Amino acid sequence: MDLPSSGKGILFVISGPSGVGKTSIIRSVLERVENVVFSISCTTRKQRPGEIHGMDYFFVSHQEFESMINENKFIEWAKVHDNYYGTPANFVFDHINNGIDVILDIDVQGALNVKKNLTGGKFVFVAPPSYQTLSERLRRRGTESEEKIQKRLDTAKKELSCIPEFEYLIINEDLEHSIMNLISIIYAERLRYERQKETERVKRLLLEVQ
Ligand code: 5GP
């Protein structure tokens, strides 16, 4: 399926290993950039302290998640570290069709599935400055057991090898810098002539000089 290249919203798929800082970057970008929304995923994972149902995730049971898969309600879904995560399709397509950009925060296998099924998405990989930094960050977060952290690090190694499949790469060394980088990507994509050519302003301007 092709996403619209002009006159509609843009789909930004932000991916990278867990613990790399994607969520913090995205949160700030949403506060600073107009006309962009965050796609709230469904997950079967347990709610962490401080997380809000319907804001961070829709926390659902395995049974509910499976029904949603069978009803084709996801653009993509994946099993990440023993839990299921999925991107609800309606929300994404409704916003894109209404000219509003959508940001997904999903794991690497999910992002590669979106890339396979939807042309026109913009794919951004967020990487740690080094593998060592990622390991330290995951431990500092303190939300997972040592065994789970080890599992996440093994997955991260495989995920980092997928960097070349992405169009954009942000190395998250400094949060503020990474926020500015993601904002730059969003504005650069919005400023493409291809994106603007159907707007009244551009059509009028070109007519004036014919
Ligand atoms: P966490 O459990 O730490 O919130 O997220 C674990 C991983 O799942 C992160 O890499 C996050 O980006 C990813 N994730 C969150 N929502 C989705 C989704 O809808 N689909 C996929 N494929 N991954 C997701």
Side-chain angles (χ1 to χ4, degrees):
M1 190 184 154
D2 285 345
L3 286 168
S5 61
S6 185
K8 304 279 180 191
I10 309 169
L11 179 67
F12 292 97
V13 182
I14 319 299
S15 197
S18 48
V20 82
K22 299 179 292 246
T23 314
S24 312
I25 299 170
I26 293 170
R27 226 173 254 159
S28 293
V29 168
L30 290 166
E31 282 170 11
R32 299 187 208 182
V33 180
E34 75 301 341
N35 211 49
V36 59
V37 291
F38 176 67
S39 157
I40 302 162
S41 298
C42 292
T43 183
T44 58
R45 134 159 114 58
K46 280 211 187 86
Q47 203 164 344
R48 292 189 189 126
E51 284 183 329
I52 300 169
H53 177 82
M55 234 171 106
D56 297 288
Y57 284 106
F58 292 108
F59 296 95
V60 300
S61 65
H62 270 93
Q63 209 179 356
E64 285 171 287
F65 198 95
E66 271 159 23
S67 312
M68 291 181 79
I69 295 174
N70 294 332
E71 291 161 18
N72 263 331
K73 292 214 168 144
F74 294 124
I75 291 184
E76 64 74 40
W77 61 271
K79 192 178 180 199
V80 187
H81 321 297
D82 294 333
N83 289 302
Y84 288 95
Y85 294 81
T87 306
N90 276 353
F91 179 90
V92 173
F93 293 127
D94 288 352
H95 283 84
I96 299 273
N97 286 330
N98 286 321
I100 296 167
D101 297 343
V102 178
I103 291 186
L104 307 188
D105 171 348
I106 63 177
D107 86 309
V108 176
Q109 43 169 335
L112 294 178
N113 277 333
V114 176
K115 193 178 166 201
K116 224 178 346 175
N117 301 327
L118 286 179
T119 27
K122 304 298 157 194
F123 295 85
V124 182
F125 197 103
V126 182
S130 68
Y131 187 65
Q132 178 64 27
T133 356
L134 183 67
S135 148
E136 284 163 14
R137 275 188 207 164
L138 275 176
R139 291 201 164 84
R140 222 180 310 132
R141 188 158 79 174
T143 49
E144 252 81 36
S145 65
E146 183 54 36
E147 190 196 335
K148 282 197 175 155
I149 290 174
Q150 204 45 57
K151 215 167 162 188
R152 285 189 179 228
L153 285 172
D154 290 344
T155 311
K157 225 177 220 171
K158 290 187 204 117
E159 291 174 327
L160 288 167
S161 70
C162 297
I163 288 177
E165 314 259 346
F166 286 71
E167 303 174 83
Y168 292 103
L169 172 63
I170 295 176
I171 296 185
N172 187 23
E173 195 139 37
D174 169 75
L175 179 62
E176 185 56 31
H177 202 192
S178 300
I179 294 165
M180 292 313 296
N181 284 337
L182 183 54
I183 292 176
S184 307
I185 293 169
I186 294 173
Y187 282 125
E189 285 295 337
R190 286 181 180 179
L191 287 169
R192 280 178 185 270
Y193 166 67
E194 186 67 21
R195 285 264 156 218
Q196 301 189 67
K197 69 178 184 191
E198 305 293 344
T199 61
E200 285 311 311
R201 235 165 43 157
V202 172
K203 280 200 261 185
R204 202 178 330 117
L205 185 60
L206 288 176
L207 266 179
E208 275 172 1
V209 291
Q210 247 178 22

